[in-house]
Amino acid sequence: MNSATAPELPKLTAVSSGFVLAAAITALFNTALAWARDAYAPLNGILKSLTGNPWIAHCLADLVLFAGLGFVFAKTRAAEKIDPSRLIGALIAAVAIAALGLVLWFAFV
Amino acid sequence: MNISTSDVILLAHAAFGVTGCLAALWVFVEALNAQSGNAARIRAAALMTALSMAAAWICGGYWYVHFYPAEKAVILMGPWPFAHNLFMETKEHLFLITGILAFLLPVVAREKLYPNAVARKLVLAVAALIVITGLAVEGAGAVIEHGAKVALLRGGLKGDR
C-alpha cells in the first residue's frame, strides 16, 4: 500500500454501513427464530403454512429482513452515524454470539 | 455406475460451499494487499463468493427438503443421533448466517479499499467470518454424512434389533 499518495478515508458509505448493520441484526434474528421454532412447535406449523416447509420460511424471513433493513438503513443513512470500527466490532460480535447461541442451544437445550 | 439425482445435488451443494469459502479466502488475501490494481479482482472474487454460496444454498435447500427426511430417520435410529440433533440442527441455521455474509461481501467490496483503512478492515472481517463459518458448516456436513454411514454399517439401526 502506498499511503503517501492516497489520502485516508476513514468512513464507510451509507450503503456499506447500512447493510453491515442489517447483517448483524439478521444474524441475531436468525438464531432467535431458530430458538423460537425449537421451543414452540406451533410456530413451525405457522411457517409451514406459509411456504410448505418451515425452514424455507425461515430462509425467506432472513433474506427479507437483511434486504429490507439494508435498504432502509442505506436510505436513511442511520448506520452511517455509527463509528465504523464499532460497526465492524458489532458485526463480528453478532455473528459470534449467534453462532455460539445455536451450538449451545442444540447441544444442551 | 449408479449416481442418483440426490447424490449429484448433495455433492454440488458441498462443492459450491467449498468454492464460496475459497473465493472468500481469495478476497481476504487480495484485501490484505489492496491496491488500485487489484480492486477489480477483489470485486470479482466477492461476487464469486456470493454466487457460489447462493448455489450452495439452493442445492442444499432442495436436498434438505426433498431427500434429508429419509436420512434423518436413519441417523436418529443409529449410534450417532447427535449427527442430526446437534450438527444438522446447528448447520441448517448457521449456514443462513454464512449466506447473508456472502451477500454482504460484494456490497462492502464496492468501497475503495486502497485509500480506506476502515473499509479494508471491514472486507477482511466479512471475508474471514465467511471462511470460518463456512468451514464449520462443511465440517458439520461431514459429521452428518458419517452419522448416516455408521448407522448403516457399524451399529445397525435400533429398529432392526
Side-chain angles (χ1 to χ4, degrees), chain B residues 54-107:
Chain B
W57 197 334
I58 292 166
C59 292
Y62 187 86
W63 189 86
Y64 175 75
V65 170
H66 291 91
F67 301 108
Y68 183 65
E71 187 165 316
K72 175 182 165 183
V74 169
I75 292 170
L76 291 178
M77 284 195 289
W80 278 30
F82 61 85
H84 170 78
N85 294 332
L86 173 58
F87 284 87
M88 183 48 136
E89 290 285 5
T90 302
K91 174 183 152 78
E92 74 184 51
H93 299 109
L94 182 59
F95 177 75
L96 306 185
I97 297 174
T98 311
I100 294 294
L101 291 168
F103 294 151
L104 175 66
L105 192 60
V107 176

Side-chain angles (χ1 to χ4, degrees), chain A residues 1 9 11 13 16 30 55, chain B residues 92-93 111 115-117 120:
Chain A
M1 267 174 296
L9 304 170
K11 289 192 80 176
T13 61
S16 284
N30 174 65
W55 182 79
Chain B
E92 74 184 51
H93 299 109
E111 295 271 358
N116 190 337
R120 271 199 306 278

